[in-house]
Amino acid sequence: MTPDDARAAWGRPLPAAPIVLVMGVAGSGKTTVGRLLAQELGWDFADADQFHSPANIAKMTAGIPLTDADRMPWLRTIRTWIDVHHVAERPGVVTCSGLRRAYRAELTGGRPEVLPVFLDGDRDLIARRMSARIGHFFKPEMLDGQFRILERPAPDEHVLVLPTAWSVEKLVDTVVAALRP
Ligand SMILES: Nc1ncnc2c1ncn2[C@@H]1O[C@H](COP(=O)(O)OP(=O)(O)OP(=O)(O)O)[C@@H](O)[C@H]1O
Ligand SMILES: O=C(O)[C@H](O)[C@@H](O)[C@H](O)[C@H](O)CO
């Protein structure tokens, strides 16, 4: 994928202080890719999980999927992080599963500074990675529930969809190259 292809996916000029939103089901690589991307760019980084309420973490730890009602206050907290960075003209990278179109709209609506990226992959690949992951509260048996509610981004959402089958380095390099004027 060329930088022009990636920028075409976003469908608008690069903002002065971009906020890259890295999305995907649990285990798709949001934290790994997002953190390294922020490090490469020297930008602030926030992982969506740090914004979950203790009740949400407890539910997921107990193997109970979140509901829309559970997610809305969490999405609004992530949106506040985006807005604080926008007002301060500070670029950043933030993750969020963004499983449904409505969730993504909560974070991107009216915010051209947000450059959305979706890490797409098949269940078995992601399940293998989650199984090798140690000490995370989100268990592989919860993954099917993520795919059940997943609404993959439509073209009109202008999301850069990248295969999580790529290496972390290739994913990061692709976004960094797209962000270079
Ligand atoms: N592109 C990749 N290639 C190979 N392994 C990867 C890749 N991206 C992530 N991983 C590995 O897959 C596992 C899940 O990655 P990570 O925790 O970043 O996903 P996540 O989307 O943030 O998950 P969650 O939403 O549950 O926090 C980790 O063990 C990570 O090292
Ligand atoms: O939308 C959701 O169901 C949640 O965001 C989960 O995906 C967790 O936040 C995370 O992805 C797992 O650690």
Side-chain angles (χ1 to χ4, degrees):
M1 173 179 288
T2 69
D4 283 346
D5 292 340
R7 283 190 285 267
W10 287 325
R12 58 183 177 278
L14 291 177
I19 303 287
V20 178
L21 171 62
V22 184
M23 299 182 285
V25 299
S28 58
K30 301 184 294 296
T31 307
T32 304
V33 170
R35 184 171 282 125
L36 185 58
L37 176 63
Q39 190 180 315
E40 290 279 307
L41 295 164
W43 292 1
D44 292 348
F45 173 72
D47 181 14
D49 286 351
Q50 70 193 64
F51 299 115
H52 270 306
S53 63
N56 278 3
I57 299 288
K59 273 188 90 167
M60 291 184 280
T61 304
I64 304 166
L66 300 182
T67 64
D68 287 355
D70 294 328
R71 291 193 179 96
M72 289 320 287
W74 169 64
L75 292 168
R76 283 194 288 271
T77 309
I78 298 168
R79 191 175 64 192
T80 300
W81 187 94
I82 291 170
D83 290 344
V84 165
H85 275 72
H86 179 57
V87 167
E89 296 179 357
R90 281 179 69 89
V93 179
V94 64
T95 72
C96 177
S97 39
L99 299 175
R100 293 189 193 282
R101 183 185 181 112
Y103 301 161
R104 298 188 288 268
E106 276 290 312
L107 302 180
T108 62
R111 292 169 172 81
E113 70 275 11
V114 178
L115 298 177
V117 174
F118 185 88
L119 301 178
D120 196 15
D122 70 51
R123 178 220 176 272
D124 292 348
L125 168 65
I126 295 173
R128 282 198 300 278
R129 290 182 182 169
M130 286 182 92
S131 301
R133 185 172 68 171
I134 309 296
H136 195 289
F137 65 82
F138 202 90
K139 302 296 180 293
E141 49 272 23
M142 294 270 285
L143 183 58
D144 289 334
Q146 299 267 296
F147 278 98
R148 266 197 297 277
I149 69 167
L150 176 62
E151 299 163 4
R152 281 182 169 79
D156 70 308
E157 295 182 70
H158 295 292
V159 176
L160 173 56
V161 179
L162 297 175
T164 192
W166 287 0
S167 70
V168 176
E169 292 72 22
K170 182 172 181 178
L171 289 163
V172 169
D173 291 348
T174 300
V175 179
V176 169
L179 290 167
R180 288 211 174 96

